[in-house]
Amino acid sequence: MISLDYKLAFIIPYRDREEHLAMFVPHYRNLFPDADIYVVHQLGKAPFNKGMLFNIGFLYVEQRADAFDLSDVDMLAVEGHVDYSFPRAATHLASAASQFGYKMPYPIYFGGHVLVTAEQMRSVNGFYNDYPGYGCEDDSFYRSFVNKGLPVDRRYGRYESLPHNRHVDHDEHLMDLFNRNWEHFKSVPRDYSNGITSCKYDIAAVHQLEGYTQLDVNI
Ligand code: UDP
Ligand code: MN
């Protein structure tokens, strides 16, 4: 169990990962009994839009917590090897995940678990909404801070990744743009008008489930 001096909420973009969610919820409930867990469930068959689901979850919980862990459903924090102290800047936590051999997969990796305050999230208008598919929205998020000259932070954090098949829903456009070529990618401007403030969606249902809240959303 980890005690915190602020209110923490987990925001998890989610579709079709029942086994992972069934492990995520009890794991983080035990670790952080006072934190809240919000699962943002994308309905329908359209490409999974991870960035937009983070925006939607954030808008729902913004007033209900002090900081938010933008979480993959399949990375479980290892007690004693993560630092969830209050973030002074947008903070990458999942720097040592088992799926990447407990090290950074590439130098600017900013995914898996990222701890932000509402102010930090708002400072870049959250995530860009219109990348079809997913993958690289975390790189884009990182760029959003760097391009504005805003600080980011990274901590050592050990996570056990749950196994799954490699997805095929990647955003090929963004992959091409980025192509792990950070010097190029950071020079491509982010449209800051596209984000939390322009996010169009419909919450079809809110379910209070055992240990977490699930938002069913149409995007
Ligand atoms: N995700 C999901 N359903 C999908 C694809 C992704 O719920 O069909 C969510 C889930 O939270 C997952 C995260 O998006 O942990 C990142 O996707 P994925 O695990 O496929 O990425 P990878 O492990 O390949 O980086
Ligand atoms: Mn994964």
Side-chain angles (χ1 to χ4, degrees), residues 17 20 72-75 99-100 134 161-167:
R17 298 275 177 104
H20 292 169
D72 279 12
V73 74
D74 57 3
M75 281 194 197
Q99 75 192 84
F100 304 121
Y134 73 109
S161 309
L162 303 170
H164 61 79
N165 292 331
R166 195 78 196 138
H167 53 250

Short mmCIF file of all heavy atoms in Angstrom, two decimals, residues 17 20 72-75 99-100 134 161-167, ligand 2:
data_model
loop_
_atom_site.label_atom_id
_atom_site.label_comp_id
_atom_site.label_asym_id
_atom_site.label_seq_id
_atom_site.Cartn_x
_atom_site.Cartn_y
_atom_site.Cartn_z
N ARG A 17 -10.13 -5.49 -23.51
CA ARG A 17 -8.96 -6.03 -22.78
C ARG A 17 -9.43 -6.49 -21.39
O ARG A 17 -8.87 -6.10 -20.36
CB ARG A 17 -7.87 -4.97 -22.62
CG ARG A 17 -7.26 -4.45 -23.92
CD ARG A 17 -6.13 -5.33 -24.42
NE ARG A 17 -5.62 -4.86 -25.70
CZ ARG A 17 -4.48 -4.21 -25.87
NH1 ARG A 17 -3.71 -3.93 -24.83
NH2 ARG A 17 -4.09 -3.82 -27.06
N HIS A 20 -6.99 -7.95 -18.78
CA HIS A 20 -6.08 -6.95 -18.21
C HIS A 20 -6.80 -6.09 -17.18
O HIS A 20 -6.27 -5.84 -16.09
CB HIS A 20 -5.51 -6.07 -19.32
CG HIS A 20 -4.58 -6.82 -20.22
ND1 HIS A 20 -4.12 -6.30 -21.40
CD2 HIS A 20 -4.03 -8.05 -20.12
CE1 HIS A 20 -3.30 -7.18 -21.99
NE2 HIS A 20 -3.25 -8.25 -21.23
N ASP A 72 -1.93 2.89 -19.23
CA ASP A 72 -2.23 1.70 -20.03
C ASP A 72 -2.85 0.67 -19.09
O ASP A 72 -2.40 0.52 -17.94
CB ASP A 72 -0.95 1.10 -20.63
CG ASP A 72 -0.51 1.80 -21.91
OD1 ASP A 72 -1.04 2.89 -22.20
OD2 ASP A 72 0.39 1.27 -22.59
N VAL A 73 -3.81 -0.09 -19.58
CA VAL A 73 -4.49 -1.07 -18.73
C VAL A 73 -3.59 -2.27 -18.41
O VAL A 73 -3.86 -3.03 -17.48
CB VAL A 73 -5.80 -1.54 -19.40
CG1 VAL A 73 -5.54 -2.48 -20.58
CG2 VAL A 73 -6.73 -2.19 -18.39
N ASP A 74 -2.48 -2.38 -19.15
CA ASP A 74 -1.69 -3.62 -19.05
C ASP A 74 -0.34 -3.42 -18.39
O ASP A 74 0.57 -4.23 -18.58
CB ASP A 74 -1.53 -4.25 -20.44
CG ASP A 74 -0.89 -3.31 -21.45
OD1 ASP A 74 -0.52 -2.18 -21.07
OD2 ASP A 74 -0.77 -3.71 -22.61
N MET A 75 -0.15 -2.37 -17.61
CA MET A 75 1.12 -2.16 -16.90
C MET A 75 0.86 -1.99 -15.42
O MET A 75 0.26 -1.01 -14.98
CB MET A 75 1.83 -0.90 -17.42
CG MET A 75 2.56 -1.10 -18.73
SD MET A 75 3.65 0.33 -18.97
CE MET A 75 3.97 0.14 -20.72
N GLN A 99 7.89 -5.04 -20.59
CA GLN A 99 7.76 -5.26 -22.04
C GLN A 99 8.91 -4.64 -22.83
O GLN A 99 9.12 -4.99 -23.99
CB GLN A 99 6.41 -4.74 -22.55
CG GLN A 99 6.29 -3.24 -22.68
CD GLN A 99 4.84 -2.80 -22.90
OE1 GLN A 99 4.06 -2.64 -21.96
NE2 GLN A 99 4.47 -2.61 -24.15
N PHE A 100 9.64 -3.72 -22.21
CA PHE A 100 10.80 -3.10 -22.85
C PHE A 100 12.10 -3.49 -22.13
O PHE A 100 13.08 -2.74 -22.15
CB PHE A 100 10.65 -1.58 -22.90
CG PHE A 100 9.39 -1.11 -23.58
CD1 PHE A 100 8.47 -0.32 -22.89
CD2 PHE A 100 9.11 -1.47 -24.89
CE1 PHE A 100 7.30 0.10 -23.51
CE2 PHE A 100 7.94 -1.05 -25.52
CZ PHE A 100 7.02 -0.26 -24.82
N TYR A 134 -4.09 4.49 -33.14
CA TYR A 134 -3.29 4.95 -32.00
C TYR A 134 -1.87 4.48 -32.14
O TYR A 134 -1.50 3.79 -33.08
CB TYR A 134 -3.91 4.49 -30.68
CG TYR A 134 -3.75 3.03 -30.38
CD1 TYR A 134 -2.89 2.62 -29.37
CD2 TYR A 134 -4.43 2.07 -31.10
CE1 TYR A 134 -2.74 1.28 -29.07
CE2 TYR A 134 -4.27 0.73 -30.82
CZ TYR A 134 -3.43 0.34 -29.81
OH TYR A 134 -3.27 -0.98 -29.52
N SER A 161 4.40 -5.66 -17.32
CA SER A 161 3.46 -5.59 -18.44
C SER A 161 2.76 -6.93 -18.60
O SER A 161 3.39 -7.98 -18.46
CB SER A 161 4.19 -5.27 -19.74
OG SER A 161 5.01 -4.13 -19.59
N LEU A 162 1.48 -6.88 -18.89
CA LEU A 162 0.71 -8.11 -19.13
C LEU A 162 0.80 -8.47 -20.61
O LEU A 162 0.84 -7.58 -21.47
CB LEU A 162 -0.75 -7.88 -18.72
CG LEU A 162 -0.92 -7.45 -17.25
CD1 LEU A 162 -2.36 -7.01 -16.98
CD2 LEU A 162 -0.51 -8.57 -16.31
N PRO A 163 0.85 -9.75 -20.92
CA PRO A 163 1.05 -10.14 -22.32
C PRO A 163 -0.18 -9.90 -23.19
O PRO A 163 -1.31 -10.03 -22.71
CB PRO A 163 1.35 -11.64 -22.21
CG PRO A 163 0.75 -12.09 -20.93
CD PRO A 163 0.78 -10.91 -20.00
N HIS A 164 0.05 -9.54 -24.42
CA HIS A 164 -1.05 -9.46 -25.41
C HIS A 164 -0.45 -9.51 -26.79
O HIS A 164 0.76 -9.27 -26.97
CB HIS A 164 -1.88 -8.19 -25.23
CG HIS A 164 -1.12 -6.90 -25.42
ND1 HIS A 164 -0.81 -6.37 -26.65
CD2 HIS A 164 -0.60 -6.04 -24.51
CE1 HIS A 164 -0.14 -5.25 -26.49
NE2 HIS A 164 0.01 -5.03 -25.20
N ASN A 165 -1.31 -9.79 -27.77
CA ASN A 165 -0.85 -9.78 -29.15
C ASN A 165 -0.55 -8.34 -29.56
O ASN A 165 -1.17 -7.41 -29.07
CB ASN A 165 -1.91 -10.36 -30.09
CG ASN A 165 -2.10 -11.84 -29.84
OD1 ASN A 165 -1.17 -12.53 -29.41
ND2 ASN A 165 -3.31 -12.31 -30.07
N ARG A 166 0.39 -8.21 -30.43
CA ARG A 166 0.73 -6.89 -30.97
C ARG A 166 -0.50 -6.37 -31.71
O ARG A 166 -1.10 -7.08 -32.50
CB ARG A 166 1.92 -7.07 -31.92
CG ARG A 166 2.63 -5.81 -32.29
CD ARG A 166 3.56 -5.30 -31.22
NE ARG A 166 3.88 -3.91 -31.54
CZ ARG A 166 3.94 -2.93 -30.66
NH1 ARG A 166 3.73 -3.15 -29.39
NH2 ARG A 166 4.23 -1.71 -31.06
N HIS A 167 -0.88 -5.13 -31.43
CA HIS A 167 -2.07 -4.58 -32.07
C HIS A 167 -1.78 -4.17 -33.52
O HIS A 167 -0.63 -4.08 -33.93
CB HIS A 167 -2.58 -3.39 -31.27
CG HIS A 167 -1.52 -2.38 -31.05
ND1 HIS A 167 -0.97 -2.14 -29.81
CD2 HIS A 167 -0.87 -1.58 -31.91
CE1 HIS A 167 -0.03 -1.22 -29.94
NE2 HIS A 167 0.04 -0.87 -31.20
MN MN B 2 0.38 -3.09 -24.14
#
